[in-house]
Amino acid sequence: MKGSDNMRILGLGAHPDDLEINCGGTLARFHQLGHQVVMAFACSGDKGHFRIPPAELAEIRKQEAQEAAAVIQAKSIWLGYQDGEIVGESLQNRDIFIDLIRQVQPDLILTHSPVDYHADHTAVSRLVVDAAFMSTVPHLKTRYPALNDVPQIYFIEPYGGMAFQPDVYVISNPHIL
Ligand SMILES: [Zn+2]
């Protein structure tokens, strides 16, 4: 990372609500400290309800996510997958993630832990790790130019703390302690 001044922070979640629930306070803290935050959503969240039809639900969740991002003046980016449709590593998927990282040029990425309960979460985590390094390879051509530095990656705590041993804690309000 460049240091504490004007960093670009990329939160990259599988679904709308993952970033807000699991690292929303941290993203807000980065914004509060003057850093630029981008929130990226891999899937539309279209299958996250028992009754609301997918197309209708995707619209609702996009609206909610954009309103949440606006609170911390974060730009939101949508990768266009449907829930449950990021299946492992493919060159096409990896290029989409490389391009996102090259577009945002983050100093730090917050994303899912490699061990998580949802297949979309673990797929995103794996793709981010592989794409972050590949984003610096100049002869690997995508729409955006290669980065000079590999972004740092922090894994966010999975729901229920599943197999997760944290070594960094973020205190959103230091006056609480
Ligand atoms: Zn999720």
Side-chain angles (χ1 to χ4, degrees):
M1 285 186 281
K2 285 182 294 190
S4 59
D5 295 333
N6 301 317
M7 290 193 296
R8 275 187 295 275
I9 312 298
L10 172 61
L12 210 176
H15 311 108
D17 78 10
D18 290 323
L19 297 175
E20 296 86 339
I21 293 171
N22 291 328
C23 66
T26 302
L27 295 178
R29 182 76 172 141
F30 277 121
H31 167 67
Q32 192 179 46
L33 293 171
H35 304 297
Q36 180 187 339
V37 177
V38 174
M39 297 174 72
F41 307 93
C43 305
S44 67
D46 66 325
K47 298 183 183 70
H49 199 277
F50 288 106
R51 291 188 305 278
I52 300 174
E56 183 182 342
L57 182 61
E59 284 302 313
I60 293 169
R61 298 190 70 182
K62 188 169 191 174
Q63 180 71 28
E64 290 173 344
Q66 287 175 331
E67 288 177 14
V71 172
I72 58 169
Q73 296 171 9
K75 177 182 177 184
S76 57
I77 297 176
W78 299 79
L79 295 186
Y81 296 92
Q82 306 305 310
D83 286 11
E85 296 187 3
I86 308 180
V87 180
E89 284 271 300
S90 69
L91 283 177
Q92 184 184 13
N93 283 346
R94 188 188 290 164
D95 281 355
I96 288 170
F97 278 69
I98 290 171
D99 237 0
L100 171 68
I101 293 169
R102 287 177 169 176
Q103 177 187 358
V104 176
Q105 301 177 33
D107 299 288
L108 173 65
I109 302 172
L110 279 74
T111 194
H112 296 285
S113 169
V115 178
D116 204 326
Y117 82 101
H118 197 300
D120 289 339
H121 295 192
T122 53
V124 164
S125 180
R126 179 64 187 270
L127 283 162
V128 170
V129 170
D130 290 344
F133 173 74
M134 296 284 186
S135 68
T136 64
V137 177
H139 290 301
L140 202 162
K141 303 296 184 189
T142 59
R143 287 187 304 149
Y144 292 89
L147 303 182
N148 292 325
D149 301 308
V150 180
Q152 299 287 308
I153 299 171
Y154 285 2
F155 296 126
I156 57 181
E157 182 180 1
Y159 294 100
M162 182 178 171
F164 189 72
Q165 293 296 321
D167 52 18
V168 173
Y169 298 83
V170 178
I171 302 170
S172 290
N173 183 350
H175 301 295
I176 288 174
L177 297 180

